[in-house]
Amino acid sequence: MPSFVSRYPLLAGVASLLLTTPTLAQKAPQTDSLNIRRIYDEALLRGQSYENLRHLTGQIGGRLAGSPQAQQAVDWSKVTMEKLGLDRVYLQEVIVPHWVRGAKEKGQIKAAKGKGVDVPVCALGGSVGTNGKLRAQVVEVQSLDELAAMPEEKVKGKFVFFNRPMNPTYIETGKAYGEAGDQRRAGASAAAKRGAVGALVRSLSLAHDDFPHTGTMRYEDNVAKVPAAALSTNGADRLSQLLKADKNLTFELEMACQTLPDVKSYNVIGEIKGSKYPDEIITVGGHLDSWDMGQGAHDDGTGCVQSMEVLRLLKATGLKPERTVRAVMFMNEENGNRGGIKYAELAKAANEKHLAAMESDGGGFTPRGFALETTNPETVTRMQQWRSLFVPYGSGEFVVGHGGTDIGPLKDQAKVLIGYDCDSQRYFDIHHTAADTFDKVNRRELELGGASMAALVYLLSKYGL
Amino acid sequence: MPSFVSRYPLLAGVASLLLTTPTLAQKAPQTDSLNIRRIYDEALLRGQSYENLRHLTGQIGGRLAGSPQAQQAVDWSKVTMEKLGLDRVYLQEVIVPHWVRGAKEKGQIKAAKGKGVDVPVCALGGSVGTNGKLRAQVVEVQSLDELAAMPEEKVKGKFVFFNRPMNPTYIETGKAYGEAGDQRRAGASAAAKRGAVGALVRSLSLAHDDFPHTGTMRYEDNVAKVPAAALSTNGADRLSQLLKADKNLTFELEMACQTLPDVKSYNVIGEIKGSKYPDEIITVGGHLDSWDMGQGAHDDGTGCVQSMEVLRLLKATGLKPERTVRAVMFMNEENGNRGGIKYAELAKAANEKHLAAMESDGGGFTPRGFALETTNPETVTRMQQWRSLFVPYGSGEFVVGHGGTDIGPLKDQAKVLIGYDCDSQRYFDIHHTAADTFDKVNRRELELGGASMAALVYLLSKYGL
């Protein structure tokens, strides 16, 4: 049995009041705290994020930009938002890259003694294939700098094995991910510049398991394109251990991935026109594309269904926004961000006035608060005055931080970019893997997130900035 | 990809500092914030809670008081704490009830039309068996009050079906559990008083699934003892639905549970003597017993391994407590609390001076803070001044609330009872079920909890109250 923390006696009272006699809420004074309570009650009693996510992950599944599943997700999102009775639902054309993984990848350590040791591997998004089996010796490094300082003969003709782990002492796992990510993003070209035949990168994860984590990588111009693969954390540990015993061991990699011609895809947008200031826009979104190996549940199916839910919650509670609120399912965040770039381009071309843009792309876990990205400190101070309305819901952390990748291109147009911030401890265990599936999502945690986002959108739409 | 919330730039700096050159921490000024950072670093880099829990749940498993597994858990806890090099590790004899479930329970709805519908059921802890098959009509109620107000002829000879759900609009799930719990705890005797033959209770869960949730119930003196069973939430919904169509349907229940004579068991205690005030005691604990159907992972294996870890973290960081710190694995919290009562009795008899008692019994999820239970408001104000030291770790909620069941009997002896408070959203989905298993526990969430508890114990041991 738990310890019974009766933290919110008053609000609990309001809650049960609303639960037993919902009409009371309408009669009660329309205070912000009561309206926010109504948003949370609607989400916890009748939230639709979870069932929408069940469909997106189970019936469509992984949906990398350019794939048939990505198109199915576009069609489904449009139909689903059309059922909400919004003022407008439309598509925004985006030309996206089309990378395909091909047959399942294989990786094996071949040491002098004993038989080969299979290692779970996967191609990094954007990598070239190995054109059959690629076998070479391995040199392990902890960083791009260590590689750069290495004599060429120690690297030439080998795989460079980037094995620096994420820093487990950070409380916010996203920071550890950001710091370790340079190996994955830039490792291949850095290795090629020193004459290496390929890059093997330790998966960006704080868990010790057998799941390889994919993710995007970029080739520098005028540098040979060599294959880049992620190894599971256990696999990376094993390779490092065997290298200590036999520095001449070889690694055999086989990947059939390739980049096909760009294809046409779409951002999907739903909109409620503002009742007083229709020209002031609040955008809330997630990215509709995902990596191909799992179901794209926490990354970022949750952000998409929560963004749709923000619109549904405003409709269901009758809280007509005074400013225009848009839910945007961005396309191609994972390997190009073409959707985010296109959305900002068109907003600018149309002289749209963005008050704020919010993104949910850290998973569908229990809400903690919001990260605020703005050049104006007064905007932060202003928004932090709303904190007390969120504390009762465990969502009161209003901190300065990063908004999100999809909304990043809006930086110069929006007064503030807002990153919806939820518990980050489990996220990178499954991020970009075959394990990012619906069963990892908890219904209440997901619905509470949509309510937290809707509550802040409600305040923004009422008071502006 | 997530939004990178760089929430703690300074502390992250300290973290990496400690990570790369641990000796620096010792040379650095012994400020509380640095010492707390060292506690978290030790937990995140070398925490042992997770591997200890793996053994307790995997090698021993469910461990109801009086069972062989409970004795194995006692032996294992003693040996495990002895390895920590504490000043003292000892057992405290406790006589505990010995209830056994017997063969797997069966429940079936028999409606006029169609064949029987199986419903997942389990006996409530302490219930008598059905002595073969017990079949009767069913009357559904939402509360004990509704039952009391009912004419006897509507109840006599039937099962009373208590179907009031937990209130999903509460943010803190423990509050909803507490409110709905009266049906489980007192339903059987309330039903028997009205001539019913048994009680069927909706499982205390906010999830919609097929797991029946057991839990303790009590028979009133001089009231007939009738069997009491929990139905899964899906099963309860099905029964309610079928009752609407056919109020004369019957339910057939078969349970072979029984209560055997009391047996001898133990609280397991490890202690670090205070360097300045050895007579002032800070107790931190969890309960070693669990229900029998699952592995007792979140309830309360996590609280036990975290409490042991508090002692290990103090030793490993060299933070010698000025006051005596005790980790107590309490026995029999689930169906009698005999261990908690015995511990308080002996503490009183020995004239021990308890400064504080802390309990972790809300699961091993991400830390949020602490619930403080005291008659002295100044103690709360005093402790809330420590909040800022915990905010960087997401553990800064210091609220007035309930300490815990095991430490409850210490209420009159300790200046404050402290309930370790973590994320509560997932807890009741698995609480008291076959699904409360090791795989539901996240390593980082668990280790962060032990660190949060150790950090508060460190401050209490240094400053007192």
Side-chain angles (χ1 to χ4, degrees), chain A residues 52-263:
Chain A
N52 281 336
L53 185 66
R54 186 195 301 275
H55 182 96
L56 179 61
T57 54
Q59 301 303 308
I60 298 173
R63 45 199 180 278
L64 190 55
S67 67
Q69 293 86 347
Q71 183 56 46
Q72 290 167 32
V74 165
D75 299 338
W76 172 81
S77 302
K78 184 166 182 291
V79 170
T80 304
M81 285 203 283
E82 282 168 346
K83 289 181 188 152
L84 297 178
L86 307 174
D87 297 317
R88 193 175 167 214
V89 176
Y90 57 103
L91 302 181
Q92 203 168 61
E93 186 177 311
V94 186
I95 302 301
V96 298
H98 187 197
W99 179 83
V100 292
R101 185 171 302 281
K104 186 163 175 20
E105 304 91 338
K106 290 195 194 115
Q108 191 177 62
I109 303 167
K110 294 176 178 294
K113 304 195 189 75
K115 58 176 170 59
V117 178
D118 290 332
V119 173
V121 296
C122 70
L124 294 182
S127 175
V128 297
T130 54
N131 190 15
K133 291 177 178 173
L134 175 62
R135 183 171 174 174
Q137 291 188 345
V138 178
V139 56
E140 176 176 347
V141 299
Q142 294 294 303
S143 69
L144 296 166
D145 291 347
E146 182 184 351
L147 172 62
M150 230 171 219
E152 183 144 348
E153 67 271 18
K154 287 191 74 172
V155 183
K156 202 165 178 47
K158 297 181 182 175
F159 281 110
V160 176
F161 170 34
F162 296 91
N163 195 29
R164 184 171 87 257
M166 281 169 63
N167 184 337
T169 68
Y170 293 153
I171 305 306
E172 196 63 35
T173 58
K175 181 171 170 60
Y177 175 77
E179 280 189 8
D182 59 349
Q183 305 172 100
R184 188 195 77 199
R185 292 188 298 269
S189 286
K193 283 186 204 165
R194 312 304 312 283
V197 299
L200 306 174
V201 184
R202 181 189 185 87
S203 283
L204 296 176
S205 173
L206 288 160
H208 306 282
D209 60 28
D210 300 319
F211 289 103
H213 295 233
T214 190
T216 195
M217 52 83 64
R218 285 235 183 76
Y219 289 115
E220 291 179 36
D221 298 337
N222 312 318
V223 176
K225 294 184 175 181
V226 298
L231 278 57
S232 70
T233 50
N234 283 347
D237 289 343
R238 189 92 175 96
L239 176 56
S240 183
Q241 172 194 43
L242 291 174
L243 270 172
K244 286 178 181 58
D246 172 11
K247 68 180 189 5
N248 297 320
L249 64 74
T250 59
F251 193 90
E252 186 174 87
L253 182 67
E254 191 170 7
M255 308 194 304
C257 47
Q258 59 179 314
T259 299
L260 304 175
D262 287 358
V263 300

Side-chain angles (χ1 to χ4, degrees), chain B residues 273-351:
Chain B
K273 275 254 172 287
S275 59
K276 278 195 185 170
Y277 315 100
D279 295 344
E280 291 187 41
I281 297 161
I282 300 160
T283 284
V284 53
H287 64 83
L288 195 52
D289 63 303
S290 80
W291 283 106
D292 54 324
M293 298 192 301
Q295 298 179 337
H298 278 290
D299 188 14
D300 181 29
T302 51
C304 291
V305 296
Q306 287 172 324
S307 298
M308 293 181 185
E309 184 72 359
V310 166
L311 300 184
R312 192 196 72 80
L313 289 169
L314 293 174
K315 298 280 287 187
T317 52
L319 297 169
K320 294 185 171 35
E322 297 184 11
R323 290 163 172 85
T324 292
V325 179
R326 260 186 213 161
V328 182
M329 318 289 110
F330 293 97
M331 180 52 64
N332 180 227
E333 187 268 358
E334 293 294 3
N335 58 337
N337 201 28
R338 302 265 186 96
I341 292 163
K342 172 63 70 174
Y343 181 81
E345 265 177 22
L346 295 178
K348 192 164 205 167
N351 272 316

Side-chain angles (χ1 to χ4, degrees), chain A residues 283-287 300 303 307 326-330 358-360 453:
Chain A
T283 283
V284 54
H287 63 84
D300 183 26
S307 298
R326 260 186 212 161
V328 182
M329 318 290 110
F330 293 98
M358 183 190 304
E359 177 162 357
S360 169
M453 293 162 65

Side-chain angles (χ1 to χ4, degrees), chain A residues 26 28 33 57 110 119 156 176 279-280 288 294 326 338 342 421 426 438 444 455:
Chain A
Q26 283 84 43
S33 66
T57 54
K110 294 176 178 294
V119 173
K156 202 165 178 47
D279 295 343
E280 290 187 40
L288 195 52
R326 260 186 212 161
R338 303 266 187 96
K342 173 63 70 174
D421 182 18
R426 293 176 182 228
F438 181 70
R444 285 179 58 88

